[in-house]
Amino acid sequence: MSAVALPGAAPAATPPVPPIFGLRLATGLTGVLLAVLVAGLNENITKVALADIRGAMGIARDDASWLVALYAAASVSAMAFAPWCSVTFSLRRLTATAIIVCMAAGLLCPFAPNLSVLIVLRMVQGAAGGALPPMLMTVALRFLPPNIKLYGLGGYALSATFGPSLGTPLAAFWTEYLGWQWALWQVVPGSIVALLMVSWGLPQDPLRLERLRQFDWRGLLLGLPAISMLVVGMLQGERLAWFASPLICVLLGGGLLLLVLFFINEWSHRLPFFKLQLLSRRNLSHALLTLGGVLFVLLAVILIPSSYLAQVHAYRPLQTAPVMLMVALPQLIALPLVAALCNLRAVDCRWVLAIGLALLALSCVLGARMSPDWTRTHFYLLQAVQIFAQPMAVIPLLLLATTGLAPQDGPFASAWFNTIKGMSAVVATGVLDALITRRNHFHSTVLSERLGNLPGDVDTAGLAQRMHAQVVTLTSSDLYLTVAAIALAMIVIIPILPTRVFPPRAA
């Protein structure tokens, strides 16, 4: 019996037929991946090359710190709100626009007439770059067939493993051979290629402007300043002596208050930016919690050797590059292999995660044995252990967080995962800066007391240099042990919180 439409009733909407995955969609997905990697490299390269940029543009060290902080604030904020915008304005339009803006801002940065203009350009570029990682996760969840979805998520994992490690080598190449401007211009060639691939490969969704009638204005007015204030407060905290600074008190205290009000608003809003109800999923909550710890570890294992080699042996980025490449380049092989392992029904990804964290802890314990005599060759073994450890610590989290999600929850999961990813990197930076300062002061005080009774004819200059090297070494060893403890602590909660999931193709 055929259904009869009631008078005045709207006709039922026919759900769109998902496009068949083939060359065109694969090209679009690769284009989004390239755009994400380029944007991530842009952030890391400019951090590493900041000294050269400051010198060329005549920017003081304290002023230059705002370039990094405000870029990060714009980037993390965009990660939070981009998934909502992608549904409203379409995935392809938002991705293409973000690529164009990121590229244009990078092209203009070296021509900035003053610091204020440069900061504005970097904030615009940060917002555009931050909008791209959520698009990559959304594309992978929406378009990839179940049997290869995990490989697409493995591509997303490159932004957490491959990109940060490649920042130092690329910064060294641009500054040493082509000039500091290329640290800012490097975004242009890759963005052009990514834009062409995205424009041809991704399907064009219709605009859904009717969502604007339910736009969460209160959420935006609470969430945007909350995230921005917390990011800036964390990144400027150490420089301004944390809570001894009224500015840091306002930024962190006000940011936390606004964040609480933001989440209260999101809980009851009909069309929120963040769906708090998703946190009732044990696997998603575990993945978000563990992601923060993993990113702390991954940031530390990049920072510790590069900082040690620069301070103790005066290494330039070009000389540190082989240490970073030891981890970065093999990721192109290690990531697909780990994805293939997790894609086996017989493999429990929770134990892949546990092994990855254990290997990261082992690498850090080995690093804690360092001495002032260590050069870059001593770090190769540590880096080799991390080749498989890093993807083993990231890909299982993606599988745990996304398995079983309803299609309509994909953008919300992307918002959660990417915002936590961006915020965790910021918190890790602030905490590591504070730890380094405290441990440097501690070891300097202890060594000074021990050397206080030396005879006056001692070579003071040579002694000061050896003491500095010893302080940096001891601090680096302390950081390695701290990071190892964090990795081991994350293993402890694996048998408690997450539940077993199977790869999508086995559903």
Side-chain angles (χ1 to χ4, degrees):
M1 187 175 186
S2 60
V4 178
L6 295 175
T14 304
V17 178
I20 298 174
F21 185 78
L23 175 62
R24 191 160 188 165
L25 267 178
T27 301
L29 175 62
T30 305
V32 182
L33 173 59
L34 177 59
V36 170
L37 291 177
V38 167
L41 287 173
N42 173 68
E43 180 178 5
N44 289 297
I45 285 173
T46 45
K47 285 180 184 177
V48 176
L50 190 59
D52 297 272
I53 296 171
R54 285 197 301 106
M57 302 188 74
I59 301 173
R61 179 187 294 272
D62 288 348
D63 292 338
S65 68
W66 289 101
L67 282 172
V68 175
L70 294 175
Y71 180 102
S75 179
V76 179
S77 298
M79 291 178 185
F81 300 106
W84 189 96
C85 296
S86 71
V87 177
T88 305
F89 302 108
S90 88
L91 183 63
R92 191 173 81 176
R93 283 192 185 93
L94 185 64
T95 304
T97 301
I99 294 172
I100 292 171
V101 171
C102 187
M103 175 174 57
L107 191 62
L108 293 174
C109 277
F111 303 108
N114 52 55
L115 178 62
S116 299
V117 175
L118 181 59
I119 286 177
V120 171
L121 287 172
R122 287 291 289 168
M123 289 179 66
V124 171
Q125 191 178 36
L132 289 169
M135 301 304 99
L136 177 58
M137 178 173 279
T138 301
V139 169
L141 291 175
R142 178 179 169 188
F143 295 124
L144 287 178
N147 60 327
I148 62 171
K149 184 169 292 186
L150 194 55
Y151 294 96
L153 293 173
Y156 173 87
L158 283 174
S159 64
T161 59
F162 178 76
S165 297
L166 198 60
T168 296
L170 280 179
F173 177 79
W174 298 131
T175 55
E176 295 288 344
Y177 296 112
L178 296 180
W180 64 272
Q181 297 93 335
W182 281 96
L184 298 165
W185 287 341
Q186 59 86 30
V187 72
V188 176
S191 294
I192 292 175
V193 177
L195 181 62
L196 294 174
M197 298 173 75
V198 166
S199 299
W200 181 74
L202 291 186
Q204 180 58 67
D205 298 328
L207 290 170
R208 297 185 59 188
L209 299 182
E210 72 279 0
R211 288 164 56 90
L212 293 175
R213 290 197 293 268
Q214 298 179 351
F215 185 69
D216 186 5
W217 288 105
R218 188 181 292 111
L220 180 66
L221 294 176
L222 290 171
L224 183 60
I227 294 172
S228 300
M229 291 168 70
L230 290 172
V231 170
V232 173
M234 289 300 302
L235 293 181
Q236 292 286 3
E238 185 59 31
R239 186 178 71 85
L240 298 177
W242 291 102
F243 295 106
S245 166
L247 176 60
I248 298 301
C249 292
V250 170
L251 288 173
L252 295 182
L256 285 173
L257 176 61
L258 289 176
L259 188 65
V260 171
L261 296 175
F262 171 69
F263 283 141
I264 292 174
N265 175 79
E266 296 302 282
W267 178 264
S268 57
H269 198 277
R270 292 180 62 187
L271 197 62
F273 295 109
F274 284 83
K275 191 173 181 180
L276 272 74
Q277 291 80 358
L278 281 181
L279 297 182
S280 63
R281 300 172 60 92
R282 291 172 56 183
N283 285 350
L284 177 61
S285 297
H286 167 260
L288 296 177
L289 176 65
T290 307
L291 178 66
V294 168
L295 288 175
F296 186 97
V297 173
L298 296 187
L299 183 66
V301 296
I302 294 173
L303 173 67
I304 295 171
S306 58
S307 177
Y308 164 84
L309 291 171
Q311 293 186 68
V312 175
H313 299 291
Y315 274 34
R316 292 272 298 164
L318 187 65
Q319 296 168 293
T320 309
V323 179
M324 301 297 108
L325 289 173
M326 183 75 182
V327 174
L329 294 182
Q331 292 300 306
L332 299 176
I333 299 175
L335 272 163
L337 291 177
V338 173
L341 176 66
C342 292
N343 215 27
L344 298 174
R345 181 178 176 83
V347 174
D348 188 340
C349 71
R350 296 176 297 175
W351 304 120
V352 176
L353 173 62
I355 294 171
L357 292 171
L359 289 175
L360 285 174
L362 173 63
S363 172
C364 294
V365 170
L366 293 174
R369 301 168 58 221
M370 65 192 300
S371 71
D373 298 328
W374 276 33
T375 60
R376 69 186 182 196
T377 57
H378 292 86
F379 289 95
Y380 288 156
L381 175 61
L382 278 62
Q383 302 297 86
V385 173
Q386 295 173 32
I387 291 173
F388 280 94
Q390 291 191 13
M392 290 175 74
V394 175
I395 289 180
L397 293 179
L398 290 165
L399 181 58
L400 287 167
T402 59
T403 299
L405 279 177
Q408 65 270 20
D409 288 334
F412 293 114
S414 180
W416 273 116
F417 203 88
N418 285 281
T419 305
I420 294 297
K421 174 175 173 285
M423 187 62 77
S424 297
V426 169
V427 172
T429 300
V431 171
L432 284 171
D433 286 345
L435 285 174
I436 289 171
T437 301
R438 303 302 182 274
R439 300 310 293 173
N440 275 340
H441 289 168
F442 172 78
H443 291 302
S444 295
T445 301
V446 171
L447 290 177
S448 296
E449 291 174 352
R450 291 180 179 177
L451 300 176
N453 297 322
L454 289 176
D457 58 351
V458 172
D459 179 9
T460 307
L463 180 62
Q465 184 176 1
R466 293 195 300 274
M467 179 175 169
H468 172 71
Q470 189 66 39
V471 167
V472 173
T473 302
L474 291 172
T475 298
S476 300
S477 178
D478 290 346
L479 290 179
Y480 268 131
L481 290 175
T482 301
V483 172
I486 291 173
L488 293 174
M490 289 186 290
I491 297 176
V492 173
I493 64 174
I494 291 176
I496 302 170
L497 193 55
T499 58
R500 173 77 187 271
V501 297
F502 293 95
R505 69 185 184 89

